[in-house]
Amino acid sequence: MSSPPPPKQYGVTKPISMAGPTEADMQRNRELEKFLVEAGLYESKEEDAKREQVLGRMRQIAKDWVKELTRLRGYSDQMVEDANALIFTFGSYRLGVHGPGADIDALCVGPSYVSREEDFFFILHNILAEMEEVTELQPVLDAHVPVMKFKFDGLSIDLLYASISRLVVPEDLDISDMSVLNDVDEPTVRSLNGCRVADQILKLVPNVEHFCTTLRCLKFWAKRRGVYSNVTGFLGGVNWALLVARVCQLYPNAVPSMLVSRFFRVYTMWRWPNPVMLCAIDEAELGFSVWDPRKNRRDKTHHMPIITPAYPCMNSSYNVSTSTLRVMMDQFQYGNTICEEVELNKAQWSALFEPYLFFESYRNYLQVDIVAANADDLLAWKGWVESRLRQLTLMIERDTYGKLQCHPYPHEYVDTSKPCAHCAFFMGLQRKPGEVVQEGQQFDIRGSVEEFKLSINMYMFWKPGMEICVSHIRRKQIPPYVFPEGYKRTRHPRLASQQRSSENGNEYQTGSGLKRKKDPESVDQDGPEKRQSISPQKQDSLSPDHLAPSSVRSGTGSNVEPVIPDKRVLNQEIAEGGDVSNSSVITSVTSEVGSCEDVGNESVAGSSEGNNGSVEGSNNLVSSQSDSCDADSQSLLENRHLDGNGAFQDGVHEELELNAGLGSVLQSTSGIDSETVVQKPVMRHVLFIIFGFLNFPNRFMFDGG
């Protein structure tokens, strides 16, 4: 008798485990699904029917638009009758993981004679603008993927356009077929790739239903923990989908509760920058560049490569920086710890989704205030500023050689007491844990901030009233409008989780209600009001050295305290027990070895100097707003960490030891160490030290809250 055929292999390596669920796993799975339903993550049938109705209306509008263009351009009656356009969906809606109020990512595919610039962004835009159902219409022509954003009957839609090389678009067009990429430009390829990637993901997972439930769960977790935002430097929807799909391939018979646990186990130990891939990279001979650090120098700068499965294969997570990677690795460790407790019946699933207390995790923050004359102007202005926030992170990393770390928080806050349209973003600051610093050492980031402000004020569509102000604030100065109740809530004493790590022989425990063993040299200078955060986001060491790159490990060290240019004033302030006042752009900071250790967060504070307004903006300042997937990181960071040879070698314990080729074809030759690989920007420092002392006119002054 012939032996049974081997099980189907999903992905580039064999599965880690073919085991199915036990009765205990099934019970945990039922509890998880019940939690997701009670959390309101599923849309009602009425809401789902409304989405289908809106998509039907959009399909008809697109067909009528193309037929009218065909008629106006003098084509035959038969051509007018055959003229067609199709609407495809991608993103969360296509993958079946959308929730109530989620937007719809859609792609309109039209014939070769209907252009994006004139026909889509001008004629179709005007058609939509005249419709009563359409509101908040916002074309974004210069985005990396050009998009038209609007609400149709209250539903948010992001609509892309792709003109393929056919005179007639057939109703049964297979968008996954390679032929749709013939004779099209790169913006069209990027527009088509959203749908092509979504289709490939669904084809490459063993169980679509289990994949969808797991992805829905982890997207909710990422939002609760503040790591869901591609534009800010974390991960967006497609990134999370690819990570989850890879875990599904590694555990093809696992149920969602098992997959969630394995997700954190795998990515806590993943050796970035080894790439996550669902399939081998296809190098079709159509002339488009694919992700390959052996050939493309810019691909070597990527810190967390997550490769799309459809040709041309690209890195979907090019926005990730060393700082945001560190934050995500901390959160993966947090999730792994909670899941271990769930499996031991020491915690409930709700503990996994405890919100991250960002404003209790750092002692020092940058506050970026954005204002405009009205709500419509603020919508456009905020979008521009938010898309550049990651540049501020990269600039600070570059100019401090990675010693000053930033944590951009992907949530906006509104101060309704201001007389103009307003929103604000915040970034946590801390010195890189484990750094050895000398007394009096300073981080001068005036140049970084001024460079960021100058780039912001080059917005081509700037209007009077559009202002930005970057300020340094201490934790006690956080404005009350960022808290749901309007004031800082007391920390919950309940034990939510425990996380342990060791460094230099010291044991640490972080989590709700847990005390940390302090550095013997540390002194709690802030008195009894300092309370332990329930979030274990900042840890001193998440894993042994062999489990993670050096750039994403945390360590202990001394806090960094604020100074102002006149050190005599600072010494007097400290002697009197007062705070150094800060209301403007952070300027320079100095470290004081032996200062207090605050909830495991080594922090940075800055003093005010110069003006606290924005650089004078003008609509005459014109700059390309293209958001290239690699140009930004190329100009800011140069790393050496992939040589493209060999297989993934990890050396980690348990199941990953059985799968030495886990998810990778490339071997990392070194960690991402910004100290050794960031080039010293000598001329840039000279230029922006000069800018730092210029007296730029102030258009709007903020009091910090």
Side-chain angles (χ1 to χ4, degrees):
M1 176 180 283
S2 61
S3 59
K8 180 179 179 181
Q9 175 177 312
Y10 292 88
V12 294
T13 62
K14 294 180 180 180
I16 291 176
S17 172
M18 297 294 295
T22 64
E23 182 54 40
D25 290 324
M26 294 303 297
Q27 177 59 30
R28 284 190 288 270
N29 192 63
R30 287 189 289 268
E31 293 171 355
L32 177 60
E33 291 182 345
K34 179 182 177 183
F35 175 85
L36 298 180
V37 171
E38 292 176 348
L41 299 187
Y42 291 88
E43 199 169 48
S44 68
K45 292 182 179 179
E46 292 77 15
E47 292 171 313
D48 194 53
K50 182 178 179 180
R51 288 182 185 273
E52 288 296 329
Q53 183 181 7
V54 167
L55 284 171
R57 289 277 289 120
M58 287 303 305
R59 291 187 176 98
Q60 190 58 51
I61 291 169
K63 290 179 188 294
D64 294 343
W65 163 62
V66 169
K67 286 182 180 295
E68 181 63 15
L69 287 173
T70 306
R71 185 185 63 81
L72 291 174
R73 289 174 184 173
Y75 287 97
S76 65
D77 293 341
Q78 186 61 46
M79 276 288 292
V80 172
E81 183 179 345
D82 294 339
N84 190 26
L86 298 178
I87 298 289
F88 294 91
T89 60
F90 60 100
S92 62
Y93 185 76
R94 174 68 181 92
L95 294 174
V97 296
H98 62 286
D103 62 359
I104 298 176
D105 297 308
L107 168 70
C108 178
V109 177
S112 58
Y113 56 87
V114 177
S115 69
R116 177 188 302 105
E117 290 74 16
E118 296 179 6
D119 299 326
F120 180 74
F121 278 113
F122 183 71
I123 298 178
L124 181 59
H125 172 275
N126 291 342
I127 292 173
L128 293 173
E130 294 175 357
M131 300 181 66
E132 293 182 0
E133 304 99 315
V134 176
T135 58
E136 300 181 21
L137 183 60
Q138 181 188 6
V140 188
L141 291 78
D142 50 3
H144 184 53
V145 181
V147 59
M148 192 143 56
K149 298 173 174 284
F150 57 92
K151 286 188 176 181
F152 194 103
D153 200 14
L155 282 177
S156 296
I157 296 178
D158 290 352
L159 185 63
L160 314 181
Y161 179 72
S163 173
I164 62 175
S165 57
R166 300 191 186 187
L167 286 176
V168 177
V169 178
E171 283 289 341
D172 59 350
L173 177 70
D174 182 5
I175 203 168
S176 296
D177 192 279
M178 199 78 74
S179 64
V180 300
L181 301 179
N182 289 330
D183 301 323
V184 297
D185 58 14
E186 292 212 4
T188 299
V189 172
R190 290 194 291 268
S191 297
L192 289 165
N193 241 18
C195 297
R196 289 166 53 80
V197 166
D199 288 349
Q200 281 297 105
I201 290 174
L202 294 176
K203 293 176 182 177
L204 290 171
V205 294
N207 187 308
V208 172
E209 183 180 356
H210 291 171
F211 162 76
C212 290
T213 301
T214 307
L215 178 56
R216 190 185 296 272
C217 173
L218 285 164
K219 286 181 63 176
F220 181 54
W221 173 84
K223 292 174 182 178
R224 296 285 284 180
R225 303 301 297 175
V227 289
Y228 188 94
S229 174
N230 183 280
V231 70
T232 313
F234 295 106
L235 301 181
V238 67
N239 310 125
W240 291 105
L242 292 169
L243 291 183
V244 171
R246 184 65 184 125
V247 174
C248 291
Q249 291 180 335
L250 295 173
Y251 300 90
N253 296 320
V255 294
S257 62
M258 298 169 63
L259 292 169
V260 170
S261 176
R262 273 48 169 191
F263 177 93
F264 292 116
R265 184 183 305 176
V266 167
Y267 293 117
T268 294
M269 296 186 288
W270 195 273
R271 295 287 297 246
W272 304 107
N274 288 296
V276 171
M277 300 188 300
L278 301 186
C279 60
I281 293 179
D282 185 0
E283 299 190 20
E285 297 181 359
L286 293 181
F288 297 109
S289 175
V290 299
W291 187 84
D292 188 347
R294 297 168 298 183
K295 300 178 181 178
N296 305 324
R297 183 168 173 261
R298 291 176 177 177
D299 292 343
K300 295 182 181 181
T301 68
H302 297 165
H303 302 287
M304 192 181 188
I306 303 173
I307 311 304
T308 57
Y311 176 84
C313 299
M314 307 172 185
N315 176 23
S316 63
S317 53
Y318 54 84
N319 282 346
V320 174
S321 68
T322 54
S323 289
T324 54
L325 176 59
R326 170 190 59 86
V327 171
M328 286 187 284
M329 290 297 291
D330 287 353
Q331 290 303 321
F332 289 156
Q333 179 64 42
Y334 166 82
N336 188 51
T337 301
I338 296 296
C339 285
E340 288 176 352
E341 293 181 349
V342 170
E343 291 180 341
L344 294 173
N345 296 321
K346 293 182 178 180
Q348 301 296 319
W349 283 115
S350 58
L352 181 65
F353 303 95
E354 287 288 333
Y356 173 53
L357 300 185
F358 175 73
F359 292 107
E360 298 185 21
S361 297
Y362 295 91
R363 296 179 63 186
N364 300 275
Y365 299 84
L366 285 184
Q367 177 176 337
V368 181
D369 285 289
I370 306 164
V371 297
N374 54 61
D376 289 339
D377 287 355
L378 181 65
L379 184 66
W381 180 231
K382 177 191 68 177
W384 166 249
V385 174
E386 186 178 13
S387 72
R388 315 307 294 174
L389 277 178
R390 71 178 185 279
Q391 295 303 309
L392 180 57
T393 300
L394 292 174
M395 291 169 184
I396 292 174
E397 287 177 351
R398 175 201 66 197
D399 293 342
T400 62
Y401 306 101
K403 296 182 180 181
L404 182 58
Q405 294 180 331
C406 305
H407 179 177
Y409 198 53
H411 293 279
E412 62 180 86
Y413 298 89
V414 178
D415 185 357
T416 56
S417 67
K418 292 191 179 297
C420 53
H422 164 270
C423 73
F425 292 94
F426 294 83
M427 299 174 65
L429 295 175
Q430 71 172 8
R431 180 176 54 78
K432 181 181 179 181
E435 277 298 319
V436 178
V437 293
Q438 299 178 352
E439 185 176 359
Q441 179 180 351
Q442 295 185 352
F443 294 119
D444 188 346
I445 62 171
R446 282 175 297 181
S448 307
V449 172
E450 290 300 333
E451 181 181 1
F452 169 71
K453 289 163 62 181
L454 283 172
S455 69
I456 292 298
N457 283 285
M458 289 180 177
Y459 183 46
M460 282 198 300
F461 305 102
W462 183 89
K463 296 180 181 179
M466 291 181 174
E467 312 287 347
I468 179 175
C469 180
V470 182
S471 310
H472 162 254
I473 60 172
R474 300 294 298 271
R475 182 192 293 173
K476 63 180 67 176
Q477 298 170 314
I478 293 172
Y481 62 80
V482 307
F483 301 103
E485 300 85 3
Y487 58 89
K488 184 176 180 180
R489 61 174 177 169
T490 59
R491 294 175 184 163
H492 203 292
R494 181 178 62 83
L495 176 63
S497 63
Q498 297 183 13
Q499 293 193 5
R500 298 177 176 85
S501 60
S502 61
E503 180 173 321
N504 300 329
N506 291 328
E507 184 75 16
Y508 292 84
Q509 294 184 342
T510 56
S512 174
L514 289 179
K515 299 290 186 180
R516 286 187 56 143
K517 290 183 65 176
K518 294 184 178 292
D519 189 320
E521 299 179 3
S522 297
V523 180
D524 191 349
Q525 299 176 356
D526 290 295
E529 73 173 7
K530 290 293 179 188
R531 296 158 292 188
Q532 174 67 42
S533 169
I534 71 169
S535 171
Q537 161 67 12
K538 303 290 167 259
Q539 305 169 63
D540 293 295
S541 180
L542 295 179
S543 57
D545 288 350
H546 68 281
L547 293 185
S550 60
S551 63
V552 297
R553 292 194 301 268
S554 301
T556 57
S558 304
N559 283 325
V560 182
E561 295 296 336
V563 297
I564 52 179
D566 190 342
K567 294 186 177 180
R568 292 171 298 177
V569 177
L570 172 67
N571 294 334
Q572 181 179 359
E573 291 270 359
I574 295 176
E576 296 174 355
D579 290 316
V580 181
S581 175
N582 302 281
S583 61
S584 184
V585 176
I586 183 170
T587 56
S588 61
V589 294
T590 185
S591 60
E592 294 188 0
V593 178
S595 60
C596 69
E597 181 178 21
D598 182 52
V599 199
N601 296 291
E602 322 311 338
S603 307
V604 177
S607 62
S608 62
E609 183 180 59
N611 67 79
N612 61 351
S614 62
V615 179
E616 183 68 21
S618 169
N619 55 1
N620 293 327
L621 294 172
V622 179
S623 172
S624 171
Q625 301 173 42
S626 62
D627 192 11
S628 171
C629 68
D630 47 22
D632 291 337
S633 58
Q634 169 65 17
S635 63
L636 296 174
L637 296 173
E638 288 294 335
N639 297 302
R640 44 169 184 83
H641 56 251
L642 289 178
D643 68 354
N645 298 318
F648 177 65
Q649 298 177 7
D650 195 25
V652 297
H653 58 77
E654 293 180 354
E655 294 154 336
L656 296 189
E657 287 182 336
L658 304 176
N659 193 36
L662 181 63
S664 178
V665 183
L666 304 174
Q667 175 182 356
S668 172
T669 59
S670 66
I672 308 169
D673 191 344
S674 56
E675 287 186 62
T676 59
V677 300
V678 179
Q679 302 300 315
K680 186 173 181 180
V682 179
M683 294 305 296
R684 186 177 285 106
H685 274 303
V686 174
L687 176 63
F688 284 102
I689 285 175
I690 295 174
F691 279 147
F693 288 97
L694 291 179
N695 184 22
F696 291 106
N698 296 326
R699 290 201 306 261
F700 199 93
M701 306 288 285
F702 288 94
D703 60 7

